[in-house]
Amino acid sequence: MDAQDKLYTETMKGFWRENPVFVQLLGLCPALAVTNSAINGLAMGGATAFVLLGSSILVSLFRNLIPKQVRITSFIIIIATFVTVADLSLQALLPAVHKELGAFIALIVVNCLILGRQEAFASRNRFPYAVGDAVGMAVGFTFALVLVGGIREVLGNGSLFGFSLFGESFEPWVIMILPPGGFLTLGVLLIIFAQVKKSRDKRSALEAGKEAA
Amino acid sequence: MGDFFWIFASAAVINNFTLSYFLGLCPFFGVSKKIDTAFRLGLANIFVLLITSVCAWFLNNYILPHADYLRLMTFIVVIASSVQFVEMAIKKLSPALFRALGLFLPLITTNCAILGLALFQTNRGYTFLQGIVYALGAGVGLTLALVLMAGVREESELSEVPDVLQGAAMSFLIAGILSMAFMGFAGLFSGT
């Protein structure tokens, strides 16, 4: 596989095949805690993307300088630095969003997705691949957050990105924007994905059987 | 005293860390297959939360006023290392307790519930005692959620579950229903 192809696969895998939330079940705390509306999901996804990209670049560049024994601690400190930057910048630039997300911006530090990517990928691969991997994972994560947030907002508030969809007569399903709605939405999404995967596997098994025959 | 009671009740059931703040979900889904393990993980959690609360209070009052922007980094490093120290001390002093808490201790340190507690405590400006009560309440709440979840999952092992529902999907649905049940506690606060 040449370099271009490898870069492409490393980037694309995060979108769907190894989607951090739906497939790897990583980074669930923010994925559920702040996704009571699509816009919050987008903001959280953006902040996480910034931290993930920043730390992947730094870890990948310094991967030969960081001693193996203290690598986890070093990763955490690098991540914490970027989170502090994101936290303070959001507070200054978008105070409304910062207020809405509250302590969960700071909690990006302990998002297992970010530390997991540093340990499993960025510390072992060259700079361009680490960037590709980080971009893919970040986009996949943001997509998952916006999807969950969008579903919860439409059902629980009758709006999407703050625009009302159904008019006055809509009776909101309030439970969806409260905590239980997060668990239920993600549970139902996982069921749908499992069903899609099952039927696709069955179809490809059938086709393989036909070719063999 | 009423104050302490409300802090405890609020952290333990009304704003349960796992079921309404979504903190500490990894162990909640990962280590909730057996009631016994879940309970021991809960105990270890209470323990680490108490240490965290003390550390965070100390840092907030004596160190961080000079360098506010270093809060996150200091919290992470100090909490992780003090848990390691306490772990070593326990190993020496009480091997029985060490076996009970086991390898959960180092894992818990990177749990979002721990850092979450330190941050919430800071945001609300709790005093030393209030912080300890808050940590205790949060720990009891986590243990409660873990044990309940493990209980439901032990039962569901015995029943027939459709293919697509197996694994993570069903855990999420169970958690959603538990979370709904815990919402009922919100009524406790209506008087105040």
Side-chain angles (χ1 to χ4, degrees), chain A residues 29 33 76 84 109 179-180 195, chain B residues 22 69 73 76 112 164 172 179 183:
Chain A
C29 306
I76 291 251
T84 310
V109 179
Q195 183 64 48
Chain B
F22 303 102
Y69 56 92
M73 276 175 262
I76 287 259
C112 29
V164 283
F172 278 107
S179 169
M183 274 178 63

